[in-house]
Amino acid sequence: MRIALLTTDGLPALYCAQALAAEYELCGVLTATSLPPLPFETAHPLDAETEAYETANWFPQKIPELSDFGPVFSVPDMTSAAALDTVRDLAPNVIVAFGAGPLSAGIIELAKDHAVVLHAGNPEDFRGADTHLWAVYHGLTDDLQSIVQYADENPNTGAILRALPVHLADGTPLAGLRKAVTEGCVTGALKVMQFFADGGMLTVNHLQRIGKLYTPMPAAVKDYCLAQYADRASQTK
């Protein structure tokens, strides 16, 4: 089974690509290079702490390259003509989008009901970017889920194929949260890939409501998240 991974370059993308390539043919990895400008700063020390935590746990010896797992194609974004042409040329059986941003209807149509999105958070509450952090911001850390859902032009509105609760070990820092939700998403994706490969029937759950669409989290709000997360940790001791 040929899989095209649509993503942005980063450690979660590497972890996902490695897992998919270990089981299936990763015929191409598309990376979005033109992220939309934001009217606020997002860079924060938490970002570096998150990358350090993930590197130590996922790639302690050496951080691989996406090209280690399949051919890489840079495109402006996943709604561009370049992305559509690239996916069409790759002719995958399955499209997996993870942190890729909005997808065009044309890309989704190429795989029909075999185009899925991996998402960190319940899409009935949180859609868009940094949803694991927005859940912390709203005091809903314990309700976090790792989601596999059908792709849709309207981000994170497709029916849910897999929903896994996120279990955080005692003492997990906020810098470890992205690792936990990523691993859940990839575990769910591999289960769905198995159904696709075997031709099995999947149970789907349609959204009962559409959650708010979130932007990447501003740096100033990450300070509040750290305080929220620390407060949760102190209450669970």
Side-chain angles (χ1 to χ4, degrees):
M1 188 171 72
R2 292 167 54 83
I3 298 175
L5 174 63
L6 281 50
T7 189
T8 49
D9 201 1
L11 294 174
L14 286 169
Y15 180 82
C16 183
Q18 182 181 61
L20 292 174
E23 300 292 335
Y24 304 101
E25 178 187 355
L26 196 57
C27 63
V29 181
L30 278 69
T31 60
T33 58
S34 298
L35 301 178
L38 297 169
F40 47 79
E41 182 60 59
T42 61
H44 187 279
L46 175 63
D47 306 337
E49 293 168 10
T50 297
E51 293 206 352
Y53 189 93
E54 292 170 351
T55 298
N57 283 274
W58 286 339
F59 310 115
Q61 303 301 319
K62 179 185 177 183
I63 299 177
E65 302 287 340
L66 280 172
S67 57
D68 293 336
F69 309 115
V72 177
F73 306 88
S74 297
V75 297
D77 59 56
M78 301 308 166
T79 64
S80 64
L84 177 59
D85 291 344
T86 301
V87 176
R88 184 185 290 116
D89 290 344
L90 291 173
N93 305 110
V94 179
I95 294 171
V96 176
F98 184 33
L103 310 183
S104 70
I107 282 182
I108 296 169
E109 181 64 21
L110 290 175
K112 299 188 186 298
D113 59 353
H114 281 54
V116 301
V117 173
L118 312 187
H119 179 63
N122 184 348
E124 293 185 344
D125 296 317
F126 304 100
R127 300 184 300 126
D130 283 346
T131 43
H132 61 298
L133 294 179
W134 286 113
V136 174
Y137 173 86
H138 288 285
L140 296 174
T141 305
D142 294 328
D143 296 327
L144 260 175
Q145 295 179 322
S146 295
I147 299 291
V148 184
Q149 60 184 154
Y150 278 130
D152 193 279
E153 272 189 282
N154 190 9
N156 304 126
T157 60
I160 294 174
L161 302 172
R162 272 286 187 277
L164 283 72
V166 176
H167 299 294
L168 297 174
D170 290 345
T172 301
L174 184 56
L177 186 57
R178 190 174 71 172
K179 171 183 176 290
V181 294
T182 296
E183 289 175 353
C185 285
V186 171
T187 296
L190 290 173
K191 289 287 187 183
V192 171
M193 296 305 106
Q194 185 177 349
F195 273 98
F196 286 164
D198 296 343
M201 296 292 292
L202 279 166
T203 301
V204 301
N205 293 300
H206 295 278
L207 302 190
Q208 300 303 304
R209 64 181 184 277
I210 303 299
K212 180 179 177 180
L213 185 63
Y214 285 86
T215 66
M217 181 170 280
V221 182
K222 290 176 184 176
D223 287 329
Y224 179 79
C225 276
L226 283 163
Q228 275 279 81
Y229 193 82
D231 184 59
R232 168 192 172 273
S234 66
Q235 292 178 13
T236 56
K237 285 182 179 179

